[in-house]
Amino acid sequence: MIPPESTGLPAAGREPGAPPPRRAADLLRALRVRNFALFWTGQLISGTGTWMQMVAMAWLVLDISGSAAVLGLVTTMQFLPLLMFVLPAGVLADRLPKRRIMLAAQALATVQALLLGFLALAGSPQIWQLAVLAFTLGVSNAFNNPAQQAFVPEMVGPTLVPDAVAMNSVQFNSSRMIGFALGGLAVAHFSAAAVFFVNAASFAAALGALLALRSGELRVSMARPARHGALREGLRYVLHTPDVLFVLAVLAVVGTFGYNWPVAAPLLARDVLNVESVGFGALMSAFGAGSLVAGVGLVVIGGSNDRRMITSGGVLALILILLGISRSYPVSLGLMVLAGLSGTVFTTTVNTRLQGLAPDRLRGRVMSLFVLLLAGTTPFGSALLGLGAEAFGVSATIIGFGVITVAGLAGLLVFRARKGRAVHRGAVPARRHRGQRRA
């Protein structure tokens, strides 16, 4: 196992218990780094447009098809490229300049949003066209996300990585809260086409920020993976590092069954709570509001540990069960706030743990696994959720996903505890044997 100290990064709360809260003057110190502040602002603007597009896309697919299974299929097409390409993209992020990869990926996303806008403006687009463009966006995300995750230490340096990860969570969830609210309103009062064009325009901020970064202030790692066997090296590191493997196993469970909001939320809004696109946007804005509160709180608290990760994942699963039971729109809004809060604590804790554990030369590949297991598992989860909703009903399926998540987390904890006891039992006889031989 490679300890975090050897990576040049802080241990990020490896010991149980978080560090004490920091002074108010320390909370925004990552944003005092010019490059990170530019990057953060560009992503905030672009992210708002992206979340607006997600609302418009989901509602447009439901409006055209009226089918939960079709919505699940289109969502699967958006996340399928992450499953296909994100691991090679992690190798690429360790080999090529990360900023160059992000510029290319976000330019592709801009073109995709423009094409969606023109299709929607011309009339009712066909489902296969929306699926192809959803796949195109997925390709962009598959190459952009590992590079973006691994780019954080290059902008801020090792000591500010936890602060930067927490501030990225604030940015991500602020844009989600604002984007979902604006997306629901824009679809209701304007059109899906207008939302797609707004998203295309928002990418100008992200691209402009990337171009404005000062190259001389980036802390670029000089280590580069070998041309052959680089992916195998990253996977071997994960499989032989128990702490990293446990974090990723937990993420796989929660990512597959606990993080399917692009399908679950519109189905809840339409089929259970009987609200229109504005109500759907409000549900997701409530999720974003809880996420924002969690992101700010994590900036204050700092650190990360496995206990926080497991607890937040379990709370998220219980909230899924309660959402499946709820028939009240105000109650569901409150539950979505709690879902956003617990979900953000979970993902940010996982991110910070992996950033702290991964060595510099492998960070792109390790963070590509983070993206794979958080978003790349969505094709399975979304397809299962859509099919289950049609076969058993929306509420029953969401409850089932919550139960599976709880069971999966419990199983991983039991397995880890048994393995730890087995290692301990195996160590005792060896010590006695040596003692007997000396006697």
Side-chain angles (χ1 to χ4, degrees):
M1 186 183 77
I2 300 176
E5 290 80 2
S6 68
T7 69
L9 291 175
R14 260 185 95 173
E15 296 297 326
R22 290 165 286 184
R23 297 175 304 156
D26 294 334
L27 300 184
L28 301 179
R29 55 184 182 171
L31 288 179
R32 297 190 191 115
V33 179
R34 177 189 178 276
N35 279 345
F36 182 74
L38 279 172
F39 177 82
W40 190 90
T41 304
Q43 293 300 313
L44 176 66
I45 296 170
S46 175
T48 300
T50 299
W51 291 114
M52 289 177 67
Q53 175 171 301
M54 184 174 289
V55 173
M57 185 71 146
W59 210 254
L60 183 61
V61 170
L62 275 179
D63 188 48
I64 293 172
S65 68
S67 168
V70 171
L71 176 60
L73 175 63
V74 174
T75 304
T76 295
M77 290 297 291
Q78 178 175 329
F79 289 94
L80 186 61
L82 290 163
L83 189 63
M84 298 168 61
F85 303 126
V86 76
L87 294 181
V91 175
L92 202 66
D94 283 334
R95 182 174 294 156
L96 298 179
K98 299 170 183 64
R99 178 163 53 161
R100 190 184 305 168
I101 295 172
M102 288 185 287
L103 283 168
Q106 294 186 31
L108 177 62
T110 306
V111 173
Q112 182 264 358
L114 286 171
L115 290 175
L116 270 177
F118 287 124
L119 272 177
L121 193 64
S124 181
Q126 298 181 36
I127 291 297
W128 73 265
Q129 294 171 321
L130 297 179
V132 168
L133 288 173
F135 186 87
T136 304
L137 179 60
V139 172
S140 167
N141 290 335
F143 285 91
N144 179 79
N145 291 355
Q148 183 170 312
Q149 296 290 340
F151 192 52
V152 170
E154 293 189 7
M155 287 186 288
V156 300
T159 59
L160 293 180
V161 166
D163 302 84
V165 170
M167 287 308 301
N168 272 341
S169 177
V170 172
Q171 169 267 117
F172 180 85
N173 293 300
S174 299
S175 63
R176 174 160 54 187
M177 180 179 64
I178 299 167
F180 276 129
L182 292 179
L185 290 170
V187 170
H189 296 289
F190 299 101
S191 66
V195 175
F196 298 144
F197 286 127
V198 167
N199 183 38
S202 73
F203 278 106
L207 293 168
L210 285 170
L211 291 170
L213 299 183
R214 292 174 181 166
S215 300
E217 296 177 8
L218 296 175
R219 299 163 176 83
V220 181
S221 172
M222 300 307 295
R224 291 289 182 267
R227 291 189 176 275
H228 301 289
L231 180 55
R232 193 183 310 116
E233 180 190 14
L235 293 175
R236 189 184 302 116
Y237 163 78
V238 168
L239 291 173
H240 290 85
T241 310
D243 284 353
V244 174
L245 187 60
F246 178 73
V247 171
L248 290 173
V250 170
L251 180 60
V253 170
V254 178
T256 302
F257 297 103
Y259 244 84
N260 292 286
W261 304 106
V263 175
L267 292 178
L268 278 172
R270 189 195 67 169
D271 297 339
V272 178
L273 302 173
N274 299 311
V275 295
E276 296 300 321
S277 61
V278 174
F280 165 44
L283 280 174
M284 294 309 295
S285 289
F287 186 94
S291 301
L292 179 59
V293 170
V296 172
L298 288 170
V299 173
V300 175
I301 297 170
S304 67
N305 52 59
D306 288 350
R307 181 183 301 172
R308 184 189 297 172
M309 175 181 68
I310 291 290
T311 301
S312 56
V315 170
L316 180 65
L318 293 174
I319 291 169
L320 270 176
I321 295 171
L322 294 175
L323 273 170
I325 296 171
S326 173
R327 296 294 182 273
S328 165
Y329 183 61
V331 170
S332 296
L333 278 174
L335 289 171
M336 289 295 282
V337 172
L338 296 176
L341 194 152
S342 57
T344 296
V345 171
F346 175 79
T347 56
T348 305
T349 302
V350 170
N351 190 320
T352 305
R353 289 284 287 142
L354 292 175
Q355 292 276 14
L357 290 167
D360 288 343
R361 64 187 180 83
L362 293 170
R363 182 163 291 112
R365 280 161 281 180
V366 172
M367 296 316 294
S368 72
L369 286 167
F370 169 78
V371 176
L372 173 68
L373 295 174
L374 180 62
T377 53
T378 301
F380 298 111
S382 295
L384 286 173
L385 185 58
L387 292 171
E390 294 215 333
F392 306 108
V394 174
S395 296
T397 304
I398 290 174
I399 291 171
F401 270 47
V403 171
I404 292 171
T405 305
V406 171
L409 292 175
L412 286 172
L413 284 174
V414 169
F415 177 79
R416 191 188 205 193
R418 287 182 176 175
K419 188 173 182 180
R421 286 197 297 268
V423 170
H424 179 71
R425 285 197 300 268
V428 173
R431 286 195 297 269
R432 287 177 178 171
H433 179 70
R434 286 194 299 269
Q436 292 169 353
R437 190 166 53 193
R438 283 194 301 269

